[in-house]
Amino acid sequence: MGKLKIEDLEKIAEEARKKMTIREGGGRAKITVHMGTCGIAAGARNIMNTFLKEIETHDVHDVIITSTGCAGLCNKEPMITIELTGQAPVKYIQLTEAKAKRIFDEHIMKGKFVQEYAYAIGSEKIL
Amino acid sequence: MTTHRIQVMVCTGTGCVSNHAFEIRDAFEREIKKNNLQTEAAVITTGCNGFCGAGPLVVVQPDGIFYQLLKVSDIPHLVAEHFLKGRPVKKLMYIPPEEKTPIPKMSEIPFFADQTLIALRNRGMIDPEKIEDYIGRGGYKAIAKVLTSMKPEEVVTEIKASGLRGRGGGGFPTGVKWESCKKAHGTAKYVICNADEGDPGAFMDRSIVEGDPHSVIEGMLIGAYAIENVTQGFIYVRMQYPLAIHRFEVAIKQAREYGLLGKNIFDKGFDFDIEIRRGAGAFVCGESTALMTSIEGKVGEPRAKYIHTVEKGLWDCPTCLNNVETWANVPQIILKGAKWFSSIGTGDVSVDPWGGSKGTKVFSLAGKVNNTGLVEVPMGITMRDIIYKVGGGIPEGKKFKAVQTGGPSGGFIPETLLDLPVDYEELAKVGSMMGSGGMLVTDEENCMVDMAKYFLSFTQDESCGKCIPCREGTKRMLDILDKITMGKGSEEDLVMLEELSSMVVESSLCALGGSAPNPVLTSMKYFREEYEAHVRDKKCPAHVCKPLIKYSIDENVCIQVGHGCDVCRKQCIDNAIIGEKNQAHRIDPSKCGKCGICYDVCKFDAIHIE
Ligand code: SF4
Ligand code: SF4
Ligand code: FES
Ligand code: FES
């Protein structure tokens, strides 16, 4: 890359920020995949990869994926928790790739949670 | 895949590197590959996090999990548990002194939580060898702002209004310095960054350079633009800082490639470039005039400052010298404004630039304190908060004695003054100084006479020898301190020591001599009784000065409690202990070398020190 113009500075910053949001622990949305032994056995890794792919195809950079251990609900795995900034966390259970895609589209991208797959909001169960 | 869900921030400051941080990085890379996580986890190297005592350390983002004291053998387990299964590994986390539960998140560890970061704003967040990372955190935006929307004099006014003062020691208002240099006559002027940190145990500047070299370069760009007629800057770094030199070299190269250094920067008709000069590491070369003669290629010696360097500095041209930390503050002031900066700290700088201490200061906290390391705190914080909150208090429940601030020529501050707000004037009032930010904590086991001697021997050794009061005066003072610690001092020596101190302070040519007696003066002022015990009673109350202490065995305790266990006799290297198993033991003072081993090994407290 050659000599910068002032406009280029913002472009570089933009590119760099894509990689850096997660260092700042910020982000608009956080997806936590439960990856206990049972979760992994039930296909949690596959779910995680689906989300990672979705993030890439949608080219979004304010969505963070993290993992956590077993949630004690082994028969409901694979399971995730989605938190949008300022909203109560939503738990989804018994996920498949297709369900994960839909959750990404509707909940992460459009901000509407997918009632049919949801297990609980905050601490309150909805099933 | 561009986005990784996990970023492993491996600290590669000098401290962690010497504890094998690069091996830790390699181990992470290996394990990530082995577990097929390359697309999910990225390893990033950062500059010093300031908590070197906990190194090698790693922060795993996005959750900010802090791992410390890592070994290569810990990494396979860590990767499998945390990255694969989402279970952060407790036993590798930080546990506060005297507690049992670990604190997983870096942001919740008191050492980090109580700091305010301006100069160290990018610490642990960026890869110092990637200019894009710096730009991603708002880097080079300040120089862009200045070039597009501010006149040089407006920049000077802004810096003046911020209340920023020199972080290298003197505390001279930065804006005022820039203004004088700007007004000085000359078509060629220079800016210099002093990265020649020479205080033993201090590494604030090194750490900024290693962790965020571009912040310094951007500060210098802004200074050069504001002062005008400056097309060349120099960075003076000591040779003993190879990693800092390397990071500067990489940063300068990258800035040149992007056209951020060189001709016609941002097409605004502004030219500026920077060269690195390596110093041999003489303490006196941190002094401004000496540093400049050294850049010119001559022997680094100070000269009388009747002509200010802002008028006649490098090659007799007007020159503006600031240290690393000062320069690193500049871009933030431009971006966030003088008002924001001056809202932090003490006093009022709106009329008088000397009227307060604004912003933050980076200190290197060392000595008898739990969390040693590099801390950035707002001006005006109390000494007590630095030592007890950020520093986590004194180890092993020992008693605090004094804190020495400002490097080897700073003064000691006793317990009674701990609630003192830390700013330039307050520290000077009690006989110490801000200096470049060294902070050494001592406890009840340190002898103040011995400490004063230690620091004076450092400055004495580093005196360049050009002026007699500094060269000879400090030497005489050292002789007297030697005498006192040997138990041969008299009350007259104390008087003499005080007289010599003020003579050296008043008549030395440069600040080295002018401040060298501070540790002696303040320790005599606040710990007079310790000096008196040495000269009058020939005792060292802290049991440090060997000639003044005596080991003896309480024979009753030895036989009745310890049943003459004989352990001490076997350990004594000087064969100074007389006795046989099951009998009372005693020490032959003529043979005893005062190593203290017997004192440590006796399980029955039969051995005493006086
Ligand atoms: S170690 Fe203590 S108890 Fe044992 S012989 Fe020596 S002084 Fe006596
Ligand atoms: S202090 Fe050292 S030399 Fe002296 S008696 Fe004890 S062990 Fe021996
Ligand atoms: S070098 Fe790693 S914390 Fe200082
Ligand atoms: S090298 Fe120790 S704090 Fe950076």
Side-chain angles (χ1 to χ4, degrees):
Chain A
M1 158 105 49
K3 191 170 159 181
L4 292 194
K5 300 230 179 358
I6 290 195
E7 311 82 77
D8 302 330
L9 196 64
E10 202 28 58
K11 271 182 236 148
I12 295 177
E14 187 63 32
E15 266 311 300
R17 267 199 296 271
K18 290 181 182 172
K19 281 183 289 175
M20 299 194 350
T21 9
I22 87 155
R23 286 180 213 170
E24 277 145 40
R28 176 177 61 84
K30 183 162 138 187
I31 308 175
T32 308
V33 184
H34 296 263
M35 301 255 265
T37 319
C38 48
I40 293 175
R45 287 204 59 76
N46 192 21
I47 298 301
M48 166 155 312
N49 285 330
T50 310
F51 280 117
L52 286 169
K53 257 184 251 144
E54 288 301 300
I55 288 180
E56 216 193 349
T57 16
H58 287 80
D59 198 32
V60 286
H61 302 285
D62 48 4
V63 177
I64 285 169
I65 300 202
T66 102
S67 59
T68 176
C70 176
L73 290 163
C74 304
N75 58 336
K76 306 251 186 307
E77 300 277 10
M79 184 164 116
I80 61 166
T81 305
I82 290 189
E83 284 170 82
L84 300 192
T85 333
Q87 291 180 23
V90 180
K91 275 196 170 52
Y92 292 103
I93 50 168
Q94 289 164 332
L95 291 182
T96 61
E97 228 181 287
K99 285 187 192 173
K101 277 196 179 139
R102 199 175 136 204
I103 291 170
F104 194 89
D105 269 346
E106 291 181 19
H107 194 162
I108 302 280
M109 297 307 288
K110 301 193 188 111
K112 287 190 309 231
F113 76 95
V114 187
Q115 177 119 28
E116 311 139 66
Y117 310 151
Y119 177 66
I121 299 184
S123 51
E124 143 210 9
K125 258 200 234 161
I126 51 173
L127 260 190
Chain B
M1 173 148 336
T2 51
T3 19
H4 296 91
R5 68 177 172 92
I6 295 172
Q7 296 195 358
V8 189
M9 316 298 288
V10 181
C11 179
T12 53
T14 296
C16 288
V17 166
S18 60
N19 284 318
H20 312 290
F22 285 124
E23 278 97 314
I24 298 289
R25 175 201 59 191
D26 296 344
F28 269 109
E29 276 169 354
R30 229 174 15 246
E31 287 306 311
I32 285 170
K33 218 176 194 169
K34 216 192 268 159
N35 288 288
N36 241 320
L37 290 167
Q38 299 98 303
T39 53
E40 294 173 42
V43 179
I44 291 135
T45 50
T46 75
C48 173
N49 283 278
F51 207 14
C52 306
L57 59 88
V58 158
V59 182
V60 178
Q61 298 290 13
D63 297 316
I65 305 293
F66 181 86
Y67 290 119
Q68 61 161 9
L69 302 171
L70 292 174
K71 290 187 295 299
V72 169
S73 55
D74 294 328
I75 310 304
H77 179 68
L78 195 162
V79 170
E81 277 294 297
H82 185 165
F83 298 3
L84 272 182
K85 297 188 188 151
R87 291 197 292 242
V89 183
K90 284 217 174 60
K91 71 175 210 310
L92 300 173
M93 293 173 186
Y94 170 79
I95 302 175
E98 280 145 58
E99 281 179 42
K100 286 196 189 76
T101 4
I103 304 181
K105 286 198 188 213
M106 180 177 192
S107 56
E108 283 159 17
I109 296 174
F111 176 78
F112 294 106
D114 292 325
Q115 299 191 41
T116 306
L117 304 184
I118 299 176
L120 300 174
R121 59 192 173 275
N122 290 328
R123 124 165 138 191
M125 296 301 289
I126 64 169
D127 181 336
E129 300 196 11
K130 287 210 176 91
I131 189 171
E132 293 80 9
D133 276 22
Y134 178 69
I135 294 175
R137 302 251 314 158
Y140 290 109
K141 238 178 152 169
I143 182 64
K145 175 176 173 185
V146 156
L147 288 177
T148 44
S149 66
M150 288 173 90
K151 292 203 201 71
E153 35 295 354
E154 287 172 347
V155 178
V156 173
T157 311
E158 192 74 6
I159 298 297
K160 252 170 91 179
S162 74
L164 176 65
R165 291 168 65 176
R167 299 296 192 239
F172 194 92
T174 308
V176 176
K177 197 184 227 180
W178 288 17
E179 189 169 54
S180 327
C181 191
K182 188 177 172 65
K183 284 191 185 141
H185 292 289
T187 41
K189 300 182 182 180
Y190 296 99
V191 294
I192 301 179
C193 170
N194 183 356
D196 190 59
E197 194 167 49
D199 294 1
F203 49 85
M204 323 15 104
D205 290 348
R206 185 186 75 203
S207 152
I208 294 174
V209 175
E210 285 175 4
D212 196 10
H214 288 285
S215 65
V216 178
I217 295 176
E218 190 178 5
M220 291 176 77
L221 274 160
I222 295 167
Y225 171 78
I227 292 164
E228 292 183 289
N229 292 326
V230 184
T231 55
Q232 184 66 53
F234 291 96
I235 295 176
Y236 190 82
V237 202
R238 49 179 44 220
M239 243 148 43
Q240 289 84 341
Y241 283 1
L243 192 57
I245 293 176
H246 170 75
R247 298 255 155 97
F248 259 141
E249 281 169 347
V250 172
I252 289 174
K253 186 166 160 272
Q254 291 173 344
R256 280 189 191 139
E257 276 165 16
Y258 273 155
L260 294 165
L261 285 175
K263 293 244 174 294
N264 199 13
I265 294 162
F266 282 137
D267 293 329
K268 298 288 174 193
F270 168 59
D271 305 341
F272 181 68
D273 210 339
I274 294 176
E275 262 177 51
I276 301 173
R277 287 291 154 82
R278 293 172 179 76
F283 183 66
V284 73
C285 286
E287 199 278 328
S288 62
T289 53
L291 185 148
M292 288 180 203
T293 39
S294 166
I295 290 184
E296 291 167 4
K298 300 174 207 144
V299 177
E301 269 185 2
R303 58 177 196 226
K305 278 200 216 166
Y306 49 87
I307 303 172
H308 287 294
T309 51
V310 286
E311 277 154 28
K312 254 181 167 203
L314 205 51
W315 292 292
D316 282 341
C317 297
T319 303
C320 178
L321 175 116
N322 287 120
N323 91 325
V324 168
E325 192 185 332
T326 316
W327 288 120
N329 271 292
V330 168
Q332 286 293 293
I333 295 174
I334 295 297
L335 280 183
K336 295 192 173 174
K339 260 223 182 74
W340 159 79
F341 192 80
S342 63
S343 69
I344 307 165
T346 61
D348 180 4
V349 290
S350 56
V351 267
D352 175 10
W354 296 88
S357 303
K358 296 302 190 180
T360 55
K361 177 76 193 89
V362 181
F363 291 102
S364 75
L365 199 52
K368 306 282 184 62
V369 58
N370 274 314
N371 303 332
T372 56
L374 210 66
V375 305
E376 182 171 2
V377 288
M379 295 276 191
I381 185 176
T382 64
M383 207 53 114
R384 193 182 299 280
D385 278 351
I386 298 182
I387 295 169
Y388 286 92
K389 274 199 186 158
V390 181
I394 316 299
E396 297 167 33
K398 295 261 161 59
K399 241 185 106 231
F400 168 87
K401 191 172 222 172
V403 54
Q404 196 236 16
T405 65
S409 38
F412 292 100
I413 295 169
E415 165 93 51
T416 47
L417 294 174
L418 271 189
D419 290 309
L420 178 96
V422 173
D423 79 7
Y424 290 102
E425 279 67 33
E426 293 293 327
L427 287 175
K429 259 190 232 158
V430 299
S432 189
M433 57 182 189
M434 186 77 75
S436 57
M439 216 173 246
L440 185 82
V441 182
T442 61
D443 71 5
E444 51 187 325
E445 291 183 347
N446 293 103
C447 163
M448 296 316 284
V449 185
D450 181 65
M451 293 301 292
K453 187 174 97 177
Y454 167 78
F455 285 113
L456 191 69
S457 71
F458 178 83
T459 36
Q460 207 281 315
D461 208 42
E462 295 287 343
S463 167
C464 73
K466 189 170 173 178
C467 69
I468 299 163
C470 173
R471 186 185 64 216
E472 295 304 321
T474 53
K475 196 143 177 222
R476 282 288 299 126
M477 289 171 66
L478 198 57
D479 289 344
I480 296 178
L481 286 171
D482 244 338
K483 238 172 96 184
I484 298 176
T485 53
M486 301 285 288
K488 295 181 187 140
S490 63
E491 308 231 2
E492 289 82 78
D493 284 326
L494 297 187
V495 179
M496 186 65 180
L497 201 51
E498 270 171 335
E499 277 173 13
L500 276 170
S501 298
S502 36
M503 186 276 288
V504 174
V505 170
E506 277 154 30
S507 46
S508 291
L509 197 53
C510 84
L512 191 152
S515 57
N518 278 343
V520 179
L521 283 169
T522 48
S523 57
M524 286 186 82
K525 179 166 169 199
Y526 300 119
F527 300 93
R528 183 87 191 181
E529 66 299 342
E530 271 196 62
Y531 278 85
E532 281 169 356
H534 281 73
V535 297
R536 211 180 286 154
D537 316 330
K538 307 286 181 239
K539 289 224 158 74
C540 174
H543 306 311
V544 172
C545 303
K546 276 195 187 164
L548 298 179
I549 54 179
K550 210 176 122 214
Y551 287 87
S552 61
I553 297 176
D554 182 329
E555 296 188 25
N556 280 332
V557 180
C558 175
I559 187 75
Q560 276 159 25
V561 188
H563 304 292
C565 75
D566 208 30
V567 168
C568 60
R569 193 185 56 81
K570 290 192 197 121
Q571 300 274 337
C572 174
I573 36 175
D574 289 333
N575 287 324
I577 298 179
I578 307 156
E580 266 164 52
K581 205 166 163 65
N582 304 327
Q583 284 176 12
H585 287 57
R586 65 185 178 86
I587 294 174
D588 176 353
S590 64
K591 283 190 180 166
C592 171
K594 299 176 188 175
C595 68
I597 291 176
C598 58
Y599 178 80
D600 291 335
V601 297
C602 176
K603 288 197 201 77
F604 309 98
D605 285 333
I607 301 180
H608 300 296
I609 321 174
E610 273 173 62

